[in-house]
Structure formats: structure tokens, C-alpha cells
Amino acid sequence: MNLEKVVFGFFVLLAATLNFGFFLGDISNPALHNIYELFAAIVVSLIATVLKFGDRTQMGAVHLATSLVADLQLIAAALAWTYSAHVAENSLTPSAMAAVVSLSGGALFANVVSVVLLVVETVSYHRR
């Protein structure tokens, strides 16, 4: 068993599941979306991105691209939440929360693509 692959797979899957946990629920209800879960999703996604930097294959490049997209979307969601909660006149309106959750949904899609790539890579590795 390759420990590096285990750690890589762990962080890819953890990033996806944390993102899914934040995304799940009524899109406009802030009570159903925990800010700490969004923070955890960002941190784990950034760790997964760092782990993807060493791979110089085509699959590695696509893994890195999906991770960068997820990072960008999650950071944008955090910035939108911060702006609407602390800067805007109306504090965290349903439309602002919908924007935050929608951005995390984009990150979730990128994470799903990354998980699918991981599974495809794993299956093709066993056939060699």
C-alpha cells in the first residue's frame, strides 16, 4: 500500500464531503449552513491542492485544475459571506446566502470531478 496515495485520496474525499456537508440544505437559510464547515472545507481543499502539485502527468494536471477551481469557488463563497455579514447594510439576506451556497456548489462540482478522476486513475492503475 502506498501511503502517499492514501493521504492524497483521503484529502480529496474529505474536501468533497466537507463541501457537500456545507452545501446541503435550503439554499437561502443561513441556519442550515455552518460557517465553520465552510472554513474546514477551504482548509482541506487547500491541503488537497498542495498535495497535487508534485504530479507531472496529464491526470495530475487535471487534478490540480479541479482543485484550483474548488479553492477559488470556496474562497469566493467565504468572501461573499464575510461581505454580506459584516460590510453590507442588510446582514446575510436570503439572496446573499443563496450566492454563498451557489459558489460552494460550483466547488462541489469541481470536487466531484476530482473524485471521479481519482477513481478512474485508481481503476486504470490496477489494470497495468
Side-chain angles (χ1 to χ4, degrees):
M1 183 180 334
N2 186 344
L3 184 60
E4 181 181 331
K5 293 287 186 184
V6 172
V7 171
F8 176 74
F10 172 79
F11 279 102
V12 168
L13 288 170
L14 186 59
T17 57
L18 284 170
N19 194 351
F20 180 75
F22 176 79
F23 180 77
L24 200 60
D26 181 16
I27 193 168
S28 61
N29 187 350
L32 300 177
H33 305 282
N34 190 319
I35 188 71
Y36 298 112
E37 192 166 18
L38 177 60
F39 176 74
I42 292 169
V43 169
V44 172
S45 185
L46 289 170
I47 292 169
T49 301
V50 169
L51 292 173
K52 294 175 183 179
F53 270 113
D55 193 355
R56 296 196 182 271
T57 64
Q58 180 64 31
M59 188 69 80
V62 178
H63 266 298
L64 182 59
T66 60
S67 196
L68 291 171
V69 168
D71 293 343
L72 182 65
Q73 294 272 350
L74 289 172
I75 291 169
L79 290 174
W81 188 316
T82 302
Y83 176 80
S84 63
H86 300 291
V87 178
E89 291 180 22
N90 299 335
S91 179
L92 209 54
T93 62
S95 63
M97 192 65 211
V100 170
V101 174
S102 294
L103 285 165
S104 78
L108 178 61
F109 182 74
N111 282 330
V112 167
V113 170
S114 188
V115 169
V116 168
L117 289 173
L118 180 64
V119 170
V120 166
E121 186 177 24
T122 302
V123 168
S124 67
Y125 179 76
H126 287 295
R127 290 184 181 176
R128 291 181 198 165

PDB file of all heavy atoms in Angstrom, residues 19 22-23 33-35 37-39 41-42 69-85 92 96-108:
ATOM      1  N   ASN A  19     -17.374  19.853   1.702  1.00  0.00           N
ATOM      2  CA  ASN A  19     -18.076  20.768   0.804  1.00  0.00           C
ATOM      3  C   ASN A  19     -19.541  20.356   0.655  1.00  0.00           C
ATOM      4  O   ASN A  19     -20.436  21.199   0.680  1.00  0.00           O
ATOM      5  CB  ASN A  19     -17.370  20.781  -0.544  1.00  0.00           C
ATOM      6  CG  ASN A  19     -17.800  21.933  -1.410  1.00  0.00           C
ATOM      7  OD1 ASN A  19     -18.731  22.653  -1.106  1.00  0.00           O
ATOM      8  ND2 ASN A  19     -17.111  22.095  -2.503  1.00  0.00           N
ATOM      9  N   PHE A  22     -21.557  21.305   3.734  1.00  0.00           N
ATOM     10  CA  PHE A  22     -21.914  22.723   3.768  1.00  0.00           C
ATOM     11  C   PHE A  22     -23.013  23.030   2.767  1.00  0.00           C
ATOM     12  O   PHE A  22     -23.932  23.798   3.052  1.00  0.00           O
ATOM     13  CB  PHE A  22     -20.693  23.601   3.478  1.00  0.00           C
ATOM     14  CG  PHE A  22     -21.036  25.060   3.415  1.00  0.00           C
ATOM     15  CD1 PHE A  22     -21.216  25.781   4.578  1.00  0.00           C
ATOM     16  CD2 PHE A  22     -21.211  25.706   2.205  1.00  0.00           C
ATOM     17  CE1 PHE A  22     -21.561  27.124   4.546  1.00  0.00           C
ATOM     18  CE2 PHE A  22     -21.557  27.038   2.152  1.00  0.00           C
ATOM     19  CZ  PHE A  22     -21.736  27.752   3.319  1.00  0.00           C
ATOM     20  N   PHE A  23     -22.934  22.443   1.596  1.00  0.00           N
ATOM     21  CA  PHE A  23     -23.866  22.736   0.510  1.00  0.00           C
ATOM     22  C   PHE A  23     -25.291  22.248   0.796  1.00  0.00           C
ATOM     23  O   PHE A  23     -26.267  22.870   0.391  1.00  0.00           O
ATOM     24  CB  PHE A  23     -23.348  22.098  -0.785  1.00  0.00           C
ATOM     25  CG  PHE A  23     -24.221  22.327  -1.981  1.00  0.00           C
ATOM     26  CD1 PHE A  23     -24.216  23.544  -2.629  1.00  0.00           C
ATOM     27  CD2 PHE A  23     -25.035  21.323  -2.460  1.00  0.00           C
ATOM     28  CE1 PHE A  23     -25.016  23.769  -3.735  1.00  0.00           C
ATOM     29  CE2 PHE A  23     -25.830  21.525  -3.571  1.00  0.00           C
ATOM     30  CZ  PHE A  23     -25.827  22.753  -4.207  1.00  0.00           C
ATOM     31  N   HIS A  33     -26.376  26.260   7.122  1.00  0.00           N
ATOM     32  CA  HIS A  33     -25.041  26.256   6.524  1.00  0.00           C
ATOM     33  C   HIS A  33     -24.060  26.822   7.541  1.00  0.00           C
ATOM     34  O   HIS A  33     -24.042  28.018   7.810  1.00  0.00           O
ATOM     35  CB  HIS A  33     -25.028  27.074   5.230  1.00  0.00           C
ATOM     36  CG  HIS A  33     -26.058  26.621   4.256  1.00  0.00           C
ATOM     37  ND1 HIS A  33     -25.895  25.493   3.478  1.00  0.00           N
ATOM     38  CD2 HIS A  33     -27.281  27.107   3.956  1.00  0.00           C
ATOM     39  CE1 HIS A  33     -26.965  25.329   2.728  1.00  0.00           C
ATOM     40  NE2 HIS A  33     -27.818  26.297   2.996  1.00  0.00           N
ATOM     41  N   ASN A  34     -23.220  25.957   8.080  1.00  0.00           N
ATOM     42  CA  ASN A  34     -22.311  26.318   9.159  1.00  0.00           C
ATOM     43  C   ASN A  34     -21.055  26.983   8.611  1.00  0.00           C
ATOM     44  O   ASN A  34     -20.371  26.426   7.742  1.00  0.00           O
ATOM     45  CB  ASN A  34     -21.948  25.049   9.935  1.00  0.00           C
ATOM     46  CG  ASN A  34     -21.201  25.344  11.203  1.00  0.00           C
ATOM     47  OD1 ASN A  34     -20.331  26.194  11.241  1.00  0.00           O
ATOM     48  ND2 ASN A  34     -21.545  24.611  12.241  1.00  0.00           N
ATOM     49  N   ILE A  35     -20.724  28.147   9.126  1.00  0.00           N
ATOM     50  CA  ILE A  35     -19.545  28.887   8.679  1.00  0.00           C
ATOM     51  C   ILE A  35     -18.258  28.115   8.962  1.00  0.00           C
ATOM     52  O   ILE A  35     -17.299  28.175   8.195  1.00  0.00           O
ATOM     53  CB  ILE A  35     -19.504  30.301   9.304  1.00  0.00           C
ATOM     54  CG1 ILE A  35     -18.387  31.150   8.696  1.00  0.00           C
ATOM     55  CG2 ILE A  35     -19.321  30.221  10.813  1.00  0.00           C
ATOM     56  CD1 ILE A  35     -18.638  31.571   7.296  1.00  0.00           C
ATOM     57  N   GLU A  37     -17.929  24.891   8.935  1.00  0.00           N
ATOM     58  CA  GLU A  37     -17.825  23.823   7.939  1.00  0.00           C
ATOM     59  C   GLU A  37     -17.282  24.374   6.623  1.00  0.00           C
ATOM     60  O   GLU A  37     -16.489  23.720   5.949  1.00  0.00           O
ATOM     61  CB  GLU A  37     -19.180  23.151   7.731  1.00  0.00           C
ATOM     62  CG  GLU A  37     -19.086  21.877   6.946  1.00  0.00           C
ATOM     63  CD  GLU A  37     -20.346  21.041   7.027  1.00  0.00           C
ATOM     64  OE1 GLU A  37     -21.411  21.567   7.399  1.00  0.00           O
ATOM     65  OE2 GLU A  37     -20.248  19.846   6.719  1.00  0.00           O
ATOM     66  N   LEU A  38     -17.691  25.584   6.277  1.00  0.00           N
ATOM     67  CA  LEU A  38     -17.131  26.232   5.087  1.00  0.00           C
ATOM     68  C   LEU A  38     -15.632  26.477   5.285  1.00  0.00           C
ATOM     69  O   LEU A  38     -14.827  26.213   4.378  1.00  0.00           O
ATOM     70  CB  LEU A  38     -17.842  27.554   4.805  1.00  0.00           C
ATOM     71  CG  LEU A  38     -17.310  28.376   3.622  1.00  0.00           C
ATOM     72  CD1 LEU A  38     -17.403  27.593   2.323  1.00  0.00           C
ATOM     73  CD2 LEU A  38     -18.050  29.695   3.522  1.00  0.00           C
ATOM     74  N   PHE A  39     -15.249  26.939   6.459  1.00  0.00           N
ATOM     75  CA  PHE A  39     -13.835  27.160   6.757  1.00  0.00           C
ATOM     76  C   PHE A  39     -13.050  25.851   6.659  1.00  0.00           C
ATOM     77  O   PHE A  39     -11.970  25.802   6.066  1.00  0.00           O
ATOM     78  CB  PHE A  39     -13.676  27.789   8.141  1.00  0.00           C
ATOM     79  CG  PHE A  39     -12.247  27.959   8.560  1.00  0.00           C
ATOM     80  CD1 PHE A  39     -11.457  28.952   7.987  1.00  0.00           C
ATOM     81  CD2 PHE A  39     -11.685  27.131   9.510  1.00  0.00           C
ATOM     82  CE1 PHE A  39     -10.131  29.111   8.362  1.00  0.00           C
ATOM     83  CE2 PHE A  39     -10.358  27.284   9.890  1.00  0.00           C
ATOM     84  CZ  PHE A  39      -9.580  28.277   9.317  1.00  0.00           C
ATOM     85  N   ALA A  41     -13.843  23.223   4.930  1.00  0.00           N
ATOM     86  CA  ALA A  41     -13.805  22.828   3.523  1.00  0.00           C
ATOM     87  C   ALA A  41     -12.705  23.583   2.780  1.00  0.00           C
ATOM     88  O   ALA A  41     -12.000  23.001   1.946  1.00  0.00           O
ATOM     89  CB  ALA A  41     -15.160  23.078   2.866  1.00  0.00           C
ATOM     90  N   ILE A  42     -12.532  24.863   3.095  1.00  0.00           N
ATOM     91  CA  ILE A  42     -11.478  25.656   2.452  1.00  0.00           C
ATOM     92  C   ILE A  42     -10.101  25.130   2.842  1.00  0.00           C
ATOM     93  O   ILE A  42      -9.238  24.929   1.987  1.00  0.00           O
ATOM     94  CB  ILE A  42     -11.617  27.150   2.821  1.00  0.00           C
ATOM     95  CG1 ILE A  42     -12.874  27.739   2.193  1.00  0.00           C
ATOM     96  CG2 ILE A  42     -10.387  27.939   2.371  1.00  0.00           C
ATOM     97  CD1 ILE A  42     -13.235  29.122   2.707  1.00  0.00           C
ATOM     98  N   VAL A  69      -9.948  25.227  -9.043  1.00  0.00           N
ATOM     99  CA  VAL A  69     -11.309  25.728  -9.243  1.00  0.00           C
ATOM    100  C   VAL A  69     -12.097  25.649  -7.934  1.00  0.00           C
ATOM    101  O   VAL A  69     -12.777  26.610  -7.542  1.00  0.00           O
ATOM    102  CB  VAL A  69     -12.028  24.958 -10.371  1.00  0.00           C
ATOM    103  CG1 VAL A  69     -13.514  25.254 -10.393  1.00  0.00           C
ATOM    104  CG2 VAL A  69     -11.404  25.289 -11.711  1.00  0.00           C
ATOM    105  N   ALA A  70     -12.002  24.519  -7.249  1.00  0.00           N
ATOM    106  CA  ALA A  70     -12.712  24.367  -5.975  1.00  0.00           C
ATOM    107  C   ALA A  70     -12.224  25.396  -4.954  1.00  0.00           C
ATOM    108  O   ALA A  70     -13.033  26.012  -4.250  1.00  0.00           O
ATOM    109  CB  ALA A  70     -12.527  22.944  -5.434  1.00  0.00           C
ATOM    110  N   ASP A  71     -10.911  25.604  -4.883  1.00  0.00           N
ATOM    111  CA  ASP A  71     -10.361  26.600  -3.961  1.00  0.00           C
ATOM    112  C   ASP A  71     -10.907  27.990  -4.267  1.00  0.00           C
ATOM    113  O   ASP A  71     -11.335  28.719  -3.363  1.00  0.00           O
ATOM    114  CB  ASP A  71      -8.833  26.640  -4.040  1.00  0.00           C
ATOM    115  CG  ASP A  71      -8.168  25.384  -3.534  1.00  0.00           C
ATOM    116  OD1 ASP A  71      -8.827  24.594  -2.829  1.00  0.00           O
ATOM    117  OD2 ASP A  71      -6.977  25.188  -3.856  1.00  0.00           O
ATOM    118  N   LEU A  72     -10.880  28.349  -5.533  1.00  0.00           N
ATOM    119  CA  LEU A  72     -11.365  29.668  -5.949  1.00  0.00           C
ATOM    120  C   LEU A  72     -12.834  29.855  -5.583  1.00  0.00           C
ATOM    121  O   LEU A  72     -13.229  30.900  -5.050  1.00  0.00           O
ATOM    122  CB  LEU A  72     -11.145  29.848  -7.454  1.00  0.00           C
ATOM    123  CG  LEU A  72     -11.550  31.189  -8.041  1.00  0.00           C
ATOM    124  CD1 LEU A  72     -10.678  32.299  -7.468  1.00  0.00           C
ATOM    125  CD2 LEU A  72     -11.412  31.151  -9.548  1.00  0.00           C
ATOM    126  N   GLN A  73     -13.644  28.844  -5.859  1.00  0.00           N
ATOM    127  CA  GLN A  73     -15.076  28.931  -5.557  1.00  0.00           C
ATOM    128  C   GLN A  73     -15.327  29.037  -4.048  1.00  0.00           C
ATOM    129  O   GLN A  73     -16.156  29.823  -3.603  1.00  0.00           O
ATOM    130  CB  GLN A  73     -15.802  27.706  -6.117  1.00  0.00           C
ATOM    131  CG  GLN A  73     -15.815  27.610  -7.608  1.00  0.00           C
ATOM    132  CD  GLN A  73     -16.980  28.341  -8.231  1.00  0.00           C
ATOM    133  OE1 GLN A  73     -17.895  28.791  -7.559  1.00  0.00           O
ATOM    134  NE2 GLN A  73     -16.957  28.453  -9.537  1.00  0.00           N
ATOM    135  N   LEU A  74     -14.618  28.229  -3.262  1.00  0.00           N
ATOM    136  CA  LEU A  74     -14.816  28.249  -1.811  1.00  0.00           C
ATOM    137  C   LEU A  74     -14.335  29.556  -1.190  1.00  0.00           C
ATOM    138  O   LEU A  74     -14.987  30.099  -0.284  1.00  0.00           O
ATOM    139  CB  LEU A  74     -14.110  27.060  -1.158  1.00  0.00           C
ATOM    140  CG  LEU A  74     -14.744  25.693  -1.410  1.00  0.00           C
ATOM    141  CD1 LEU A  74     -13.841  24.587  -0.888  1.00  0.00           C
ATOM    142  CD2 LEU A  74     -16.123  25.612  -0.772  1.00  0.00           C
ATOM    143  N   ILE A  75     -13.218  30.071  -1.665  1.00  0.00           N
ATOM    144  CA  ILE A  75     -12.728  31.354  -1.156  1.00  0.00           C
ATOM    145  C   ILE A  75     -13.691  32.473  -1.535  1.00  0.00           C
ATOM    146  O   ILE A  75     -13.980  33.361  -0.724  1.00  0.00           O
ATOM    147  CB  ILE A  75     -11.294  31.618  -1.648  1.00  0.00           C
ATOM    148  CG1 ILE A  75     -10.334  30.636  -0.966  1.00  0.00           C
ATOM    149  CG2 ILE A  75     -10.874  33.056  -1.392  1.00  0.00           C
ATOM    150  CD1 ILE A  75      -8.938  30.612  -1.551  1.00  0.00           C
ATOM    151  N   ALA A  76     -14.227  32.420  -2.746  1.00  0.00           N
ATOM    152  CA  ALA A  76     -15.221  33.414  -3.158  1.00  0.00           C
ATOM    153  C   ALA A  76     -16.474  33.316  -2.290  1.00  0.00           C
ATOM    154  O   ALA A  76     -17.063  34.343  -1.916  1.00  0.00           O
ATOM    155  CB  ALA A  76     -15.577  33.228  -4.632  1.00  0.00           C
ATOM    156  N   ALA A  77     -16.880  32.102  -1.941  1.00  0.00           N
ATOM    157  CA  ALA A  77     -18.040  31.922  -1.053  1.00  0.00           C
ATOM    158  C   ALA A  77     -17.764  32.525   0.315  1.00  0.00           C
ATOM    159  O   ALA A  77     -18.633  33.205   0.895  1.00  0.00           O
ATOM    160  CB  ALA A  77     -18.377  30.432  -0.925  1.00  0.00           C
ATOM    161  N   ALA A  78     -16.574  32.310   0.845  1.00  0.00           N
ATOM    162  CA  ALA A  78     -16.219  32.878   2.151  1.00  0.00           C
ATOM    163  C   ALA A  78     -16.182  34.399   2.096  1.00  0.00           C
ATOM    164  O   ALA A  78     -16.647  35.078   3.034  1.00  0.00           O
ATOM    165  CB  ALA A  78     -14.884  32.325   2.620  1.00  0.00           C
ATOM    166  N   LEU A  79     -15.645  34.944   1.018  1.00  0.00           N
ATOM    167  CA  LEU A  79     -15.613  36.399   0.869  1.00  0.00           C
ATOM    168  C   LEU A  79     -17.020  36.975   0.743  1.00  0.00           C
ATOM    169  O   LEU A  79     -17.317  38.030   1.317  1.00  0.00           O
ATOM    170  CB  LEU A  79     -14.760  36.789  -0.338  1.00  0.00           C
ATOM    171  CG  LEU A  79     -13.259  36.559  -0.193  1.00  0.00           C
ATOM    172  CD1 LEU A  79     -12.543  36.849  -1.514  1.00  0.00           C
ATOM    173  CD2 LEU A  79     -12.686  37.406   0.925  1.00  0.00           C
ATOM    174  N   ALA A  80     -17.887  36.296   0.003  1.00  0.00           N
ATOM    175  CA  ALA A  80     -19.273  36.753  -0.132  1.00  0.00           C
ATOM    176  C   ALA A  80     -19.986  36.713   1.219  1.00  0.00           C
ATOM    177  O   ALA A  80     -20.741  37.638   1.562  1.00  0.00           O
ATOM    178  CB  ALA A  80     -20.014  35.889  -1.154  1.00  0.00           C
ATOM    179  N   TRP A  81     -19.750  35.658   1.992  1.00  0.00           N
ATOM    180  CA  TRP A  81     -20.356  35.547   3.328  1.00  0.00           C
ATOM    181  C   TRP A  81     -19.841  36.682   4.221  1.00  0.00           C
ATOM    182  O   TRP A  81     -20.608  37.359   4.910  1.00  0.00           O
ATOM    183  CB  TRP A  81     -20.037  34.200   3.952  1.00  0.00           C
ATOM    184  CG  TRP A  81     -20.762  33.908   5.235  1.00  0.00           C
ATOM    185  CD1 TRP A  81     -20.956  34.746   6.288  1.00  0.00           C
ATOM    186  CD2 TRP A  81     -21.402  32.695   5.597  1.00  0.00           C
ATOM    187  NE1 TRP A  81     -21.649  34.129   7.282  1.00  0.00           N
ATOM    188  CE2 TRP A  81     -21.932  32.865   6.885  1.00  0.00           C
ATOM    189  CE3 TRP A  81     -21.540  31.469   4.972  1.00  0.00           C
ATOM    190  CZ2 TRP A  81     -22.617  31.861   7.549  1.00  0.00           C
ATOM    191  CZ3 TRP A  81     -22.218  30.471   5.630  1.00  0.00           C
ATOM    192  CH2 TRP A  81     -22.768  30.656   6.904  1.00  0.00           C
ATOM    193  N   THR A  82     -18.529  36.890   4.220  1.00  0.00           N
ATOM    194  CA  THR A  82     -17.929  37.935   5.049  1.00  0.00           C
ATOM    195  C   THR A  82     -18.459  39.311   4.665  1.00  0.00           C
ATOM    196  O   THR A  82     -18.805  40.115   5.540  1.00  0.00           O
ATOM    197  CB  THR A  82     -16.391  37.903   4.917  1.00  0.00           C
ATOM    198  OG1 THR A  82     -15.932  36.599   5.299  1.00  0.00           O
ATOM    199  CG2 THR A  82     -15.738  38.957   5.770  1.00  0.00           C
ATOM    200  N   TYR A  83     -18.525  39.587   3.369  1.00  0.00           N
ATOM    201  CA  TYR A  83     -19.027  40.878   2.912  1.00  0.00           C
ATOM    202  C   TYR A  83     -20.476  41.083   3.340  1.00  0.00           C
ATOM    203  O   TYR A  83     -20.825  42.127   3.891  1.00  0.00           O
ATOM    204  CB  TYR A  83     -18.899  41.004   1.389  1.00  0.00           C
ATOM    205  CG  TYR A  83     -19.505  42.289   0.882  1.00  0.00           C
ATOM    206  CD1 TYR A  83     -18.802  43.478   0.973  1.00  0.00           C
ATOM    207  CD2 TYR A  83     -20.789  42.308   0.340  1.00  0.00           C
ATOM    208  CE1 TYR A  83     -19.360  44.673   0.540  1.00  0.00           C
ATOM    209  CE2 TYR A  83     -21.351  43.488  -0.095  1.00  0.00           C
ATOM    210  CZ  TYR A  83     -20.640  44.679   0.004  1.00  0.00           C
ATOM    211  OH  TYR A  83     -21.201  45.842  -0.423  1.00  0.00           O
ATOM    212  N   SER A  84     -21.313  40.094   3.093  1.00  0.00           N
ATOM    213  CA  SER A  84     -22.733  40.267   3.396  1.00  0.00           C
ATOM    214  C   SER A  84     -22.995  40.310   4.900  1.00  0.00           C
ATOM    215  O   SER A  84     -23.913  40.991   5.349  1.00  0.00           O
ATOM    216  CB  SER A  84     -23.572  39.171   2.742  1.00  0.00           C
ATOM    217  OG  SER A  84     -23.214  37.912   3.256  1.00  0.00           O
ATOM    218  N   ALA A  85     -22.188  39.627   5.695  1.00  0.00           N
ATOM    219  CA  ALA A  85     -22.418  39.599   7.139  1.00  0.00           C
ATOM    220  C   ALA A  85     -21.818  40.801   7.864  1.00  0.00           C
ATOM    221  O   ALA A  85     -22.347  41.215   8.896  1.00  0.00           O
ATOM    222  CB  ALA A  85     -21.851  38.309   7.727  1.00  0.00           C
ATOM    223  N   LEU A  92     -26.672  39.361   5.845  1.00  0.00           N
ATOM    224  CA  LEU A  92     -26.892  37.989   5.366  1.00  0.00           C
ATOM    225  C   LEU A  92     -28.341  37.720   4.957  1.00  0.00           C
ATOM    226  O   LEU A  92     -29.048  36.919   5.564  1.00  0.00           O
ATOM    227  CB  LEU A  92     -26.422  36.976   6.414  1.00  0.00           C
ATOM    228  CG  LEU A  92     -25.929  35.632   5.895  1.00  0.00           C
ATOM    229  CD1 LEU A  92     -24.835  35.814   4.867  1.00  0.00           C
ATOM    230  CD2 LEU A  92     -25.433  34.786   7.030  1.00  0.00           C
ATOM    231  N   ALA A  96     -28.189  36.778  -0.457  1.00  0.00           N
ATOM    232  CA  ALA A  96     -26.745  36.712  -0.219  1.00  0.00           C
ATOM    233  C   ALA A  96     -26.336  35.294   0.171  1.00  0.00           C
ATOM    234  O   ALA A  96     -25.310  34.780  -0.289  1.00  0.00           O
ATOM    235  CB  ALA A  96     -26.341  37.699   0.870  1.00  0.00           C
ATOM    236  N   MET A  97     -27.136  34.649   1.004  1.00  0.00           N
ATOM    237  CA  MET A  97     -26.832  33.271   1.396  1.00  0.00           C
ATOM    238  C   MET A  97     -26.928  32.336   0.196  1.00  0.00           C
ATOM    239  O   MET A  97     -26.131  31.408   0.061  1.00  0.00           O
ATOM    240  CB  MET A  97     -27.790  32.824   2.505  1.00  0.00           C
ATOM    241  CG  MET A  97     -27.364  31.550   3.164  1.00  0.00           C
ATOM    242  SD  MET A  97     -25.801  31.784   4.032  1.00  0.00           S
ATOM    243  CE  MET A  97     -25.113  30.176   3.886  1.00  0.00           C
ATOM    244  N   ALA A  98     -27.890  32.595  -0.683  1.00  0.00           N
ATOM    245  CA  ALA A  98     -28.017  31.784  -1.896  1.00  0.00           C
ATOM    246  C   ALA A  98     -26.774  31.918  -2.767  1.00  0.00           C
ATOM    247  O   ALA A  98     -26.316  30.941  -3.369  1.00  0.00           O
ATOM    248  CB  ALA A  98     -29.267  32.188  -2.675  1.00  0.00           C
ATOM    249  N   ALA A  99     -26.195  33.110  -2.817  1.00  0.00           N
ATOM    250  CA  ALA A  99     -24.967  33.310  -3.587  1.00  0.00           C
ATOM    251  C   ALA A  99     -23.814  32.517  -2.972  1.00  0.00           C
ATOM    252  O   ALA A  99     -23.027  31.881  -3.690  1.00  0.00           O
ATOM    253  CB  ALA A  99     -24.620  34.797  -3.651  1.00  0.00           C
ATOM    254  N   VAL A 100     -23.711  32.532  -1.645  1.00  0.00           N
ATOM    255  CA  VAL A 100     -22.648  31.788  -0.958  1.00  0.00           C
ATOM    256  C   VAL A 100     -22.785  30.295  -1.232  1.00  0.00           C
ATOM    257  O   VAL A 100     -21.816  29.616  -1.579  1.00  0.00           O
ATOM    258  CB  VAL A 100     -22.686  32.077   0.559  1.00  0.00           C
ATOM    259  CG1 VAL A 100     -21.765  31.142   1.319  1.00  0.00           C
ATOM    260  CG2 VAL A 100     -22.332  33.531   0.835  1.00  0.00           C
ATOM    261  N   VAL A 101     -23.989  29.775  -1.078  1.00  0.00           N
ATOM    262  CA  VAL A 101     -24.217  28.336  -1.276  1.00  0.00           C
ATOM    263  C   VAL A 101     -24.028  27.961  -2.745  1.00  0.00           C
ATOM    264  O   VAL A 101     -23.498  26.890  -3.046  1.00  0.00           O
ATOM    265  CB  VAL A 101     -25.609  27.932  -0.744  1.00  0.00           C
ATOM    266  CG1 VAL A 101     -25.920  26.485  -1.064  1.00  0.00           C
ATOM    267  CG2 VAL A 101     -25.682  28.170   0.758  1.00  0.00           C
ATOM    268  N   SER A 102     -24.409  28.831  -3.652  1.00  0.00           N
ATOM    269  CA  SER A 102     -24.205  28.557  -5.078  1.00  0.00           C
ATOM    270  C   SER A 102     -22.719  28.470  -5.417  1.00  0.00           C
ATOM    271  O   SER A 102     -22.305  27.596  -6.194  1.00  0.00           O
ATOM    272  CB  SER A 102     -24.862  29.638  -5.931  1.00  0.00           C
ATOM    273  OG  SER A 102     -26.250  29.599  -5.791  1.00  0.00           O
ATOM    274  N   LEU A 103     -21.927  29.358  -4.839  1.00  0.00           N
ATOM    275  CA  LEU A 103     -20.482  29.290  -5.059  1.00  0.00           C
ATOM    276  C   LEU A 103     -19.906  27.987  -4.505  1.00  0.00           C
ATOM    277  O   LEU A 103     -19.054  27.359  -5.136  1.00  0.00           O
ATOM    278  CB  LEU A 103     -19.798  30.491  -4.429  1.00  0.00           C
ATOM    279  CG  LEU A 103     -19.965  31.804  -5.189  1.00  0.00           C
ATOM    280  CD1 LEU A 103     -19.564  32.989  -4.320  1.00  0.00           C
ATOM    281  CD2 LEU A 103     -19.153  31.784  -6.473  1.00  0.00           C
ATOM    282  N   SER A 104     -20.387  27.567  -3.350  1.00  0.00           N
ATOM    283  CA  SER A 104     -19.902  26.289  -2.801  1.00  0.00           C
ATOM    284  C   SER A 104     -20.389  25.124  -3.660  1.00  0.00           C
ATOM    285  O   SER A 104     -19.723  24.087  -3.725  1.00  0.00           O
ATOM    286  CB  SER A 104     -20.331  26.118  -1.349  1.00  0.00           C
ATOM    287  OG  SER A 104     -21.671  25.728  -1.246  1.00  0.00           O
ATOM    288  N   GLY A 105     -21.514  25.281  -4.323  1.00  0.00           N
ATOM    289  CA  GLY A 105     -21.998  24.253  -5.245  1.00  0.00           C
ATOM    290  C   GLY A 105     -21.078  24.094  -6.443  1.00  0.00           C
ATOM    291  O   GLY A 105     -20.844  22.979  -6.920  1.00  0.00           O
ATOM    292  N   GLY A 106     -20.527  25.204  -6.935  1.00  0.00           N
ATOM    293  CA  GLY A 106     -19.540  25.125  -8.009  1.00  0.00           C
ATOM    294  C   GLY A 106     -18.299  24.380  -7.555  1.00  0.00           C
ATOM    295  O   GLY A 106     -17.739  23.560  -8.292  1.00  0.00           O
ATOM    296  N   ALA A 107     -17.873  24.650  -6.331  1.00  0.00           N
ATOM    297  CA  ALA A 107     -16.723  23.939  -5.768  1.00  0.00           C
ATOM    298  C   ALA A 107     -17.040  22.457  -5.592  1.00  0.00           C
ATOM    299  O   ALA A 107     -16.183  21.602  -5.823  1.00  0.00           O
ATOM    300  CB  ALA A 107     -16.326  24.560  -4.433  1.00  0.00           C
ATOM    301  N   LEU A 108     -18.270  22.167  -5.189  1.00  0.00           N
ATOM    302  CA  LEU A 108     -18.681  20.775  -5.027  1.00  0.00           C
ATOM    303  C   LEU A 108     -18.599  20.032  -6.358  1.00  0.00           C
ATOM    304  O   LEU A 108     -18.123  18.894  -6.414  1.00  0.00           O
ATOM    305  CB  LEU A 108     -20.098  20.690  -4.459  1.00  0.00           C
ATOM    306  CG  LEU A 108     -20.674  19.301  -4.270  1.00  0.00           C
ATOM    307  CD1 LEU A 108     -19.839  18.493  -3.289  1.00  0.00           C
ATOM    308  CD2 LEU A 108     -22.112  19.390  -3.772  1.00  0.00           C
TER     309      LEU A 108
END
